[in-house]
Amino acid sequence: MNGMSMDNFRGLILAVSSSVFIGSSFIIKKQGLKKAGASGPRAVIIGEIANFAAYAYAPAILVTPLGALSIIFSAVLAHFILKERLHIFGMLGCALCVVGSTTIVLHAPKERHIESVKQVWHLATEPGFLVYFWVVLAVVAVIIFQYVPRYGQTHLIVYIGICSLMGSLTVMGVKAVGIALKLSFGGVNQFKYFETWIFTIIVIFCCLLQINYLNK
């Protein structure tokens, strides 16, 4: 903690809060209570807002792994509230989530100082990332048009693959938009740049696609 910057610390707190809200929302909704049923969606929304804000302050490599904590929080609540028990592989999975998240958080780099979304755009248009971007889109397109019709109803990995691949692009987009909002609130308007709006469109597209296949 001594080597962690204040922005990283804020991002850490927001990311953990996000996991708590999102994880609890799954249990609230599953209870099926009328009052809790109305609270479940609100918990998800609050959690996602906190997660979005976390990307504005801390490196994505710190925030993203902490999303796994929502699984652990859900598992703990399911045990005590829903009386569901984890088998040995579930416990092992939770342990690996904790070890992995802790290891990455402890070794997360300090946030690079960004003065404009144009800097993020410059990094996002480097050859390496552009190749990755188009490869991901190509693979997702193949999965959607070739494998979803054949195996979508029988193999969960098909939908998980789509959401995970698009999620890697969503993280980059959310990071850019989060920085734009942070700088704009600080008095340096970033929404006058077309790059900010391109990142925003990418985030919306990726989120809608993920929500569609996540719900399946």
Side-chain angles (χ1 to χ4, degrees), residues 33 50 70 87 112 134 149 180 184:
L33 299 176
S70 64
H87 50 68
R112 176 183 297 189
W134 290 111
S184 296

Coordinates of all heavy atoms in Angstrom, one line a residue, residues 33 50 70 87 112 134 149 180 184:
L33 N -37.7 -12.3 -3.7 CA -38.6 -11.5 -2.9 C -39.1 -10.2 -3.6 O -38.3 -9.6 -4.4 CB -37.9 -11.1 -1.6 CG -37.5 -12.2 -0.7 CD1 -36.7 -11.7 0.5 CD2 -38.7 -13.0 -0.2
A50 N -19.7 2.3 -10.3 CA -18.5 2.3 -9.5 C -17.3 1.7 -10.3 O -16.2 2.2 -10.2 CB -18.7 1.6 -8.2
S70 N -16.5 -10.2 -7.4 CA -18.0 -10.3 -7.3 C -18.4 -11.8 -7.3 O -19.4 -12.1 -6.7 CB -18.6 -9.6 -8.5 OG -18.2 -10.2 -9.8
H87 N -18.9 -27.0 -4.0 CA -18.2 -28.2 -4.0 C -16.7 -27.9 -4.0 O -16.3 -26.7 -4.1 CB -18.6 -29.1 -5.1 CG -18.6 -28.4 -6.4 ND1 -17.4 -28.0 -7.1 CD2 -19.6 -28.1 -7.3 CE1 -17.7 -27.4 -8.2 NE2 -19.1 -27.5 -8.4
R112 N -0.2 5.9 -15.8 CA 0.5 6.9 -16.7 C -0.2 8.2 -16.7 O -1.4 8.3 -16.8 CB 0.6 6.3 -18.1 CG 1.3 7.3 -19.1 CD 1.3 6.8 -20.5 NE 2.0 5.6 -20.6 CZ 2.3 5.0 -21.8 NH1 1.9 5.6 -22.9 NH2 3.0 3.9 -21.9
W134 N -8.7 -5.9 -34.7 CA -9.4 -6.5 -35.8 C -9.4 -8.0 -35.7 O -10.4 -8.6 -36.2 CB -8.7 -6.0 -37.1 CG -9.0 -4.6 -37.4 CD1 -8.1 -3.5 -37.3 CD2 -10.3 -4.0 -37.7 NE1 -8.8 -2.3 -37.6 CE2 -10.1 -2.6 -37.9 CE3 -11.6 -4.5 -37.9 CZ2 -11.1 -1.7 -38.2 CZ3 -12.6 -3.6 -38.3 CH2 -12.4 -2.3 -38.4
P149 N -25.3 -20.5 -34.2 CA -26.4 -21.2 -34.7 C -26.3 -22.7 -34.4 O -27.3 -23.4 -34.2 CB -26.4 -20.9 -36.2 CG -25.7 -19.6 -36.3 CD -24.6 -19.7 -35.2
A180 N -11.6 10.6 -20.2 CA -12.2 11.8 -20.7 C -13.1 12.5 -19.7 O -13.1 13.8 -19.6 CB -13.0 11.5 -22.0
S184 N -12.5 16.1 -18.1 CA -13.5 17.1 -18.3 C -14.0 17.7 -17.0 O -14.2 18.9 -16.9 CB -14.7 16.5 -19.1 OG -14.2 16.1 -20.4

